[in-house]
Amino acid sequence: MSSFDFDLFVIGGGSGGVRAGRVTASLGKKVGVAEEYRFGGTCVIRGCVPKKLFVYASQYREHFEDAAGFGWSVGESTFNWEKLIEAKDREVGRLEGLYRLGLENNKATIFDSRAELVDAHTVKIVKTGQTVTAERIVIATGGSPGMPETLAGHQYGISSNEAFHLKELPKAIAIAGGGYIAVEFANIFHGLGVDTTLIYRGMEILSRFDGDLRRGLHKAMEKKGIRIILEDVFEKIEKRGDGRLAGTTLKGETLLADQIMFAIGRRPNTANLGLDRAGVELDEKGAIKVDLYSRTNVPNIFALGDVTDRVQLTPVAIHEAMCFIETEYRNNPTSPDHELIPTAVFSQPEIGTVGMSEEAAAKKFPEIEVYRAEFRPMKATLSGRVEKMIMKLLVNAADRKVVGAHILGHDAGEMAQLLGITLKAGCTKDDFDRTMAVHPTASEELVTMYAPSYRIRNGERV
Ligand code: NDP
C-alpha cells in the first residue's frame, strides 16, 4: 500500500494531461488531475477545435460564390459573428464536458484549481490551500501566446486567446507573425469579410515548410485579397481617439486596424509552478527539460506536451502521455517518436505535409528526385475560381524512399494523414507507382506522377 495520497498527480488538464490521467486511472491507479481554467486545454478551449470551426465558417463566402457555376443562385448572404461565437462556445462546452466525464468515469479526482509543487512529491491545491502527495507527478501545463512585451503599445494587441472571444468582428485586422496561427487566422478573418493584413519579419511566410508551398500559399492568399508584408515588424502601436489602432512598422508604414493580433510563437507555462522548490530544471526558453521518456531531472516528476517545447502539437502531447503510461505503468519502456509527424496548416488553400522540405532533403541527400504537379482542381472548372493545387513527392534517389510529401489545396490535411502512414512505413516511389489511382480525385496525382519533374544533385537542380 502506497503511503502517498495519489499514485499519479497531473497538473494541467489539456490534451496530454487528461490522457495521462484518464488512462492511468483506468489501470486502477489513484489519480488526481488539477486544471486552473477549463478542461480540454488550448486545443479544445482556444486552439485547434474552435479554430477549425472558424475555418469552416470562413469558407462559406467562397462556397456561395462557387455555387453559381453549378447552377445555383444563392440569395444575398449575411454573416453574424455573435451567432458563430455562441455556436462555437456551445461545442467547446460539450467537449469540455466529455473531457471531465472521461476522468470521472475512470474515478480520477478532479481539482478545479491551479496546482503548484511544494516539493518533489507534494502538490498544493491553490484554491483551497490543501496539500496532497503523489508518488509520481506529471506537469502538462502547456503554453500560452508570446506577446512582444518590449514593443510600445503592445498592450493594445490581442493574441489568439482573445480572437476567440471578440465582442465584435473587426472591420480591419493586422496580424503579426508568419507561422501556423498567423496564417490560419489571416485566412479566417479574410473569409469572414475582414480587411486583413499579415506582417511577417522573414522573407516568406511559414518558415519551416517546403518553399514551393510557401510561395504558392502566399500567392493564393494575395489573390484572395489578403495583404502580406514581408521583412518588416511593428515598431509601435498607438490607440487613436476614434478607438482604432495605428501600427507603425520599422520600414515606416502605418497600418490602421480595429484589432492587431500577435501570433509570434507560444511560451511554456512554467512560471510560479514551484518547479524550483522541487528542483526541476528548465531550458533557456523556460521549458521543462526532459529525457527520452519525458522524465525531468527529478526522477518521479515527468513533463508532457507544450510545456516541454519538443513539438507543439496536440497529437504529440497525447502520444507522449501514452508513452509515459507504457513506460511507468505497463513495464514497457517506450520513448515518444517525433520523426515524420504529418501536419496541416488550415489556411485557404490548406497545406498538408509530412517529411522533409525540398530544401532540407536536397541538403541531406546527394541526389533527390522531385515529382511535382500543379493543376486546377476539378471543382474550379465550373466554379470559375482561379486556384491551383500543388502536389510534391521528394524521393531519395539512392534508395527510392519517399522522404517528403507536400500538398497545397483542398483537403490537404486529410491527405497528409494518409501520406503520414506511407512515409512512416518507409514506402518507396515504386510503391506509389504500383498503387491504383482513385478517379476522379485530386489525390490520384500522388500515384500518377511517373517521371521526376527535376532532380537535385549535390545541391544543384538538374
Ligand atoms: P509558429 O512557431 O508557427 O510561428 C511563429 C511566427 O512568429 C514565426 O513566423 C516567427 O518568425 C514569428 N516570430 C517569432 N518571434 C517574433 C518576433 N519577436 N517578432 C515578429 N515575429 C516573430 O508559432 P504560432 O504562434 O503560429 O503557433 C504556435 C504553435 O502552435 C506552432 O508551432 C504549432 O506547432 C502549433 N499550432 C499548430 C496548428 C496546426 O497544427 N494546424 C495550428 C496552430 C498552432 P520566424 O519564422 O522568422 O521565426
Side-chain angles (χ1 to χ4, degrees):
M1 189 62 191
S2 162
S3 58
F4 298 103
D5 299 327
F6 291 99
D7 296 308
L8 174 68
F9 198 93
V10 181
I11 304 182
S15 302
V18 168
R19 179 61 69 95
R22 177 170 63 74
V23 179
T24 305
S26 78
L27 301 174
K29 302 286 178 192
K30 203 162 177 227
V31 175
V33 185
E35 166 58 49
E36 65 178 332
Y37 181 53
R38 295 178 66 182
F39 276 86
T42 299
C43 175
V44 172
I45 306 296
R46 45 195 180 188
C48 328
V49 170
K51 180 276 308 287
K52 188 89 187 270
L53 297 173
F54 278 14
V55 170
Y56 286 130
S58 68
Q59 289 171 334
Y60 278 94
R61 195 157 57 113
E62 288 194 355
H63 292 336
F64 296 145
E65 287 166 10
D66 290 354
F70 294 88
W72 290 90
S73 33
V74 179
E76 197 193 331
S77 60
T78 57
F79 170 69
N80 185 318
W81 171 252
E82 288 88 42
K83 270 197 180 162
L84 172 64
I85 299 285
E86 221 178 274
K88 178 265 295 177
D89 286 344
R90 243 192 337 269
E91 175 58 8
V92 167
R94 185 183 74 83
L95 292 173
E96 183 187 7
L98 291 177
Y99 268 69
R100 298 179 76 98
L101 198 64
L103 289 168
E104 284 163 7
N105 285 348
N106 286 290
K107 311 219 166 5
T109 308
I110 290 177
F111 295 89
D112 286 297
S113 164
R114 181 175 174 80
E116 295 169 3
L117 294 174
V118 177
D119 60 41
H121 285 287
T122 313
V123 175
K124 180 177 169 189
I125 309 300
V126 173
K127 204 184 232 174
T128 57
Q130 168 195 9
T131 54
V132 295
T133 59
E135 185 180 15
R136 289 181 181 79
I137 293 171
V138 161
I139 315 280
T141 46
S144 38
M147 293 297 276
E149 275 95 16
T150 54
L151 176 79
H154 71 86
Q155 69 277 14
Y156 300 125
I158 59 166
S159 71
S160 52
N161 284 355
E162 291 74 38
F164 288 115
H165 294 284
L166 289 176
K167 289 261 173 301
E168 54 188 76
L169 186 66
K171 287 198 173 50
I173 192 165
I175 302 177
Y180 282 86
I181 297 179
V183 166
E184 291 181 341
F185 270 92
N187 283 280
I188 289 169
F189 280 117
H190 170 77
L192 296 177
V194 180
D195 177 3
T196 304
T197 305
L198 187 72
I199 172 164
Y200 171 51
R201 66 180 178 181
M203 286 166 69
E204 187 54 279
I205 56 170
L206 292 173
S207 55
R208 282 162 288 175
F209 289 76
D210 184 86
D212 227 349
L213 270 73
R214 295 165 66 191
R215 290 186 293 275
L217 177 62
H218 181 148
K219 252 197 259 171
M221 285 170 63
E222 281 191 332
K223 209 171 273 169
K224 285 177 197 283
I226 298 171
R227 181 164 179 229
I228 300 178
I229 302 174
L230 295 177
E231 298 183 84
D232 204 357
V233 290
F234 282 119
E235 198 190 19
K236 64 171 178 198
I237 297 173
E238 290 164 308
K239 193 162 193 153
R240 305 191 328 168
D242 62 0
R244 298 194 87 200
L245 300 176
T248 309
T249 76
L250 212 54
K251 287 187 178 165
E253 190 172 342
T254 300
L255 301 177
L256 274 186
D258 305 293
Q259 296 288 352
I260 292 183
M261 174 173 159
F262 290 93
I264 56 173
R266 296 176 58 86
R267 295 179 190 156
N269 288 332
T270 47
N272 309 319
L273 266 183
L275 295 168
D276 48 344
R277 287 193 289 267
V280 175
E281 279 176 17
L282 305 182
D283 70 12
E284 62 289 349
K285 286 190 195 155
I288 298 179
K289 286 208 244 175
V290 287
D291 69 7
L292 288 174
Y293 299 92
S294 302
R295 188 190 296 269
T296 69
N297 61 306
V298 180
N300 71 301
I301 302 183
F302 299 78
L304 310 167
D306 287 5
V307 78
T308 63
D309 194 26
R310 283 175 279 187
V311 183
Q312 298 177 348
L313 295 169
T314 299
V316 173
I318 291 172
H319 172 67
E320 288 167 0
M322 294 308 285
C323 291
F324 158 75
I325 290 160
E326 279 302 308
T327 305
E328 295 301 312
Y329 294 112
R330 290 196 173 124
N331 199 21
N332 174 29
T334 307
S335 139
D337 176 1
H338 294 113
E339 286 296 309
L340 290 172
I341 298 171
T343 178
V345 182
F346 294 100
S347 44
Q348 298 169 42
E350 241 169 72
I351 283 182
T353 177
V354 56
M356 279 181 236
S357 65
E358 180 179 324
E359 296 77 8
K363 252 190 219 146
K364 175 155 187 191
F365 302 110
E367 182 174 334
I368 61 165
E369 295 169 5
V370 180
Y371 297 80
R372 183 184 189 281
E374 181 166 351
F375 57 95
R376 193 176 186 199
M378 192 174 183
K379 190 176 165 202
T381 56
L382 292 203
S383 72
R385 186 163 296 284
V386 183
E387 64 175 45
K388 288 280 173 66
M389 265 190 110
I390 298 178
M391 291 197 181
K392 268 176 94 170
L393 292 178
L394 308 171
V395 175
N396 175 12
D399 60 9
R400 308 277 300 140
K401 273 210 175 137
V402 179
V403 295
H406 308 284
I407 299 169
L408 175 75
H410 291 288
D411 299 325
E414 302 289 340
M415 289 184 237
Q417 181 65 81
L418 303 177
L419 284 167
I421 301 171
T422 65
L423 265 71
K424 206 73 191 154
C427 286
T428 62
K429 180 62 172 61
D430 309 311
D431 294 318
F432 277 67
D433 289 344
R434 59 196 177 77
T435 300
M436 199 69 82
V438 179
H439 185 71
T441 62
S443 54
E444 68 184 298
E445 287 294 326
L446 292 168
V447 296
T448 53
M449 296 189 282
Y450 297 118
S453 310
Y454 53 94
R455 292 165 188 273
I456 301 184
R457 202 172 288 143
N458 301 320
E460 299 281 324
R461 184 165 162 162
V462 289

